[in-house]
Amino acid sequence: LAKPGEPKPAFEKRLAQLKVNHHAFKAYPTVFWDIAGEQGHPLRTTVSELGPILMGRLLNLNATQQSVLELAFQIADAQGYLLVELEDIQALLTHLSTEGKAYEAEFGALPKASLGAIQRQLSALAGQGGEAFFGEPALDLPSWLQSADDGRGRIHVLRADALIQQPRLYAAVMLWLLSEWYEQLPEAGDLTQPKLVLMLDEAHLLFEDAPEILLDKITQVARLIRSKGVGVFFITQNPSDIPETVRGQLGNRVLHALRAFSPKDQKVIRALAQSLPSNPALGDADTLETKLTTLGIGEALVSTLTNNGAPTPTQHALILPPCSYVGPLTPQERQAVIARSPFAGRYDTRIDRDSAYEQLQQRVAQTLAPVDAPEKAKPREARQQASGVELMFKNVMRSVGSELGRQMTRSILGSLGLSTTQRRRRR
């Protein structure tokens, strides 16, 4: 996308077929993002903005553990503990495992077994590179709507070739982006064209083993986000990967060739052909079913919505050759695009401000310090004892944080379940 295309015989043949006399090869304003910060600008959010629902999904928690995690978020909000990085939520859970009794009257029981299970899952997530995704500066999503100098909109590309190997993390990131746009953009009404279009590839990963509450929220966002001026395309190899409740909210369909390798595949294609808006020029549902399995490269069956919201008859479409380059950039070309990006330098340096980890450290220090004596008046033994315990706590928390935090990615839709107080405090 960031590099101009080149003429090819297949392109010339298609242009002649469509009687297109002028086809300009060009590059597009493109911005690269990478949770690891290696092949794009770092993409980060905070633990509180991800929220307990998506965090629980990311950690694969059971119902009991999920409820405990939600209580932990409520306690953090009530006590003013800022959950920014993974070490913050780990520090909070460590605190609750020792001081949980103090919160039970107001918030309910906090079983140590569940707290420990959540901590183990957090450690595993950090070991898979998840720590890099949580932190500050967090992504300023509205800045993605800024146009390039020539007035064209920008195309933002998230590197996912490594991320896709961690399906839950990938799903969390995609759902987080979806929900953040839903929350942050004002109502826009019925626009002629959207402000933004999200293309979510490998969409089946968003829905696999998703709990009912998460599916409900995805359906809610898919239904309402159009009013914010955002279009959403779920991209997958099989339309049945998308739940019917979500699929029913999607008016625009672009179907490339589908292959039927089993009776189950044939049943899915048959049902899909029957659900397409009819077009007498293309034949009946049986004919559409055959067409779906015999489409060639650069061909698709397309149905979109008219201005009054009604679906258009299904059309057999031939797709124009791309204006941009077919194939990946070289590493040198990619780095050149990153270097001249308007986002260069904005997210490169991580900011580590006082959050729950530091707040809980200070709480321990204050608990150990005598209330009626200034620091200078403490006996040396008391100062040494306090500093020793604090150092032990700090070392434990740092070891947890470093174990949690040597690696890579996470995020997603839990911001819908997040308290507005936490989000306001983070901003």
Side-chain angles (χ1 to χ4, degrees):
L1 291 167
K3 181 178 177 178
E6 300 171 346
K8 296 179 181 293
F11 293 176
E12 299 296 334
K13 181 178 178 182
R14 175 57 55 86
L15 292 172
Q17 184 181 6
L18 297 176
K19 298 182 174 58
V20 175
N21 298 321
H22 179 69
H23 185 72
F25 291 103
K26 58 187 176 183
Y28 295 93
T30 307
V31 181
F32 293 111
W33 299 89
D34 182 0
I35 289 175
E38 297 170 353
Q39 297 187 34
H41 305 298
L43 183 73
R44 301 188 193 95
T45 189
T46 65
V47 170
S48 61
E49 285 191 336
L50 188 67
I53 295 176
L54 284 181
M55 180 64 80
R57 157 78 164 154
L58 182 56
L59 300 177
N60 195 26
L61 303 183
N62 61 33
T64 302
Q65 294 160 359
Q66 177 66 44
S67 65
V68 170
L69 181 64
E70 291 174 8
L71 287 177
F73 271 74
Q74 292 175 26
I75 292 170
D77 190 49
Q79 298 295 317
Y81 296 139
L82 303 182
L83 302 179
V84 177
E85 300 177 336
L86 277 187
E87 67 176 9
D88 293 320
I89 186 67
Q90 275 282 24
L92 176 63
L93 295 173
T94 298
H95 168 68
L96 295 178
S97 67
T98 57
E99 305 292 336
K101 291 287 185 183
Y103 301 100
E104 287 189 0
E106 182 177 357
F107 296 96
L110 295 161
K112 288 188 177 181
S114 295
L115 291 169
I118 299 170
Q119 286 185 292
R120 288 191 293 274
Q121 293 285 37
L122 284 168
S123 297
L125 176 63
Q128 295 168 8
E131 189 178 56
F133 181 62
F134 294 107
E136 293 180 318
L139 178 64
D140 176 28
L141 274 177
S143 65
W144 281 18
L145 296 176
Q146 297 171 359
S147 299
D149 293 340
D150 60 5
R152 292 185 293 171
R154 290 192 174 93
I155 300 173
H156 296 263
V157 180
L158 173 63
R159 178 198 177 199
D161 53 345
L163 185 59
I164 207 71
Q165 304 303 318
Q166 303 172 54
R168 289 187 179 275
L169 181 56
Y170 176 77
V173 173
M174 295 298 101
L175 291 175
W176 166 72
L177 286 172
L178 189 62
S179 62
E180 283 295 294
W181 281 118
Y182 172 77
E183 277 199 0
Q184 293 195 30
L185 288 180
E187 290 291 328
D190 188 14
L191 301 179
T192 305
Q193 63 183 33
K195 300 177 183 178
L196 174 82
V197 176
L198 295 175
M199 317 289 285
L200 307 179
D201 201 5
E202 301 294 348
H204 66 282
L205 296 177
L206 306 183
F207 307 105
E208 282 183 352
D209 302 322
E212 195 66 32
I213 186 173
L214 185 58
L215 289 177
D216 289 344
K217 290 189 178 295
I218 298 172
T219 303
Q220 176 190 9
V221 172
R223 182 174 66 252
L224 299 177
I225 200 169
R226 285 197 300 270
S227 67
K228 303 297 186 83
V230 178
V232 181
F233 283 84
F234 295 96
I235 305 170
T236 182
Q237 294 184 10
N238 192 326
S240 65
D241 293 335
I242 302 174
E244 288 187 16
T245 54
V246 177
R247 200 163 63 236
Q249 305 299 325
L250 309 177
N252 299 318
R253 301 183 183 186
V254 180
L255 300 168
H256 298 279
L258 299 173
R259 304 300 183 221
F261 299 107
S262 69
K264 182 179 178 181
D265 294 336
Q266 292 173 350
K267 183 178 180 180
V268 169
I269 293 174
R270 186 173 300 112
L272 184 61
Q274 292 172 349
S275 69
L276 289 172
S278 62
N279 183 350
L282 291 183
D284 57 14
D286 290 339
T287 306
L288 284 178
E289 182 181 343
T290 301
K291 275 190 173 295
L292 273 173
T293 59
T294 57
L295 292 170
I297 295 174
E299 298 182 36
L301 294 183
V302 178
S303 175
T304 61
L305 295 179
T306 62
N307 289 336
N308 63 6
T312 62
T314 303
Q315 300 288 347
H316 180 199
L318 297 178
I319 299 171
L320 279 168
C323 296
S324 59
Y325 189 75
V326 176
L329 299 180
T330 65
Q332 294 77 15
E333 290 171 331
R334 179 190 285 260
Q335 288 304 318
V337 172
I338 295 171
R340 63 174 180 264
S341 162
F343 297 89
R346 189 182 303 184
Y347 298 100
D348 297 342
T349 303
R350 179 183 284 267
I351 298 173
D352 186 12
R353 64 176 173 131
D354 282 0
S355 49
Y357 173 79
E358 289 79 11
Q359 291 170 310
L360 287 165
Q361 277 187 315
Q362 293 167 10
R363 175 175 175 145
V364 169
Q366 291 168 0
T367 301
L368 293 173
V371 177
D372 57 348
E375 178 68 24
K376 290 182 180 179
K378 294 178 190 174
R380 176 181 298 179
E381 295 80 5
R383 291 202 305 270
Q384 289 176 341
Q385 181 185 20
S387 60
V389 174
E390 182 178 356
L391 180 62
M392 179 182 70
F393 179 85
K394 183 174 182 179
N395 288 339
V396 169
M397 297 311 303
R398 282 294 177 197
S399 65
V400 169
S402 59
E403 278 300 311
L404 272 178
R406 287 188 195 125
Q407 287 111 354
M408 202 162 63
T409 335
R410 39 194 110 116
S411 73
I412 242 173
L413 194 78
S415 56
L416 289 179
L418 208 221
S419 90
T420 54
T421 308
Q422 270 277 8
R423 296 172 61 78
R424 222 179 284 121
R425 192 177 285 121
R426 177 253 167 226
R427 292 190 178 114

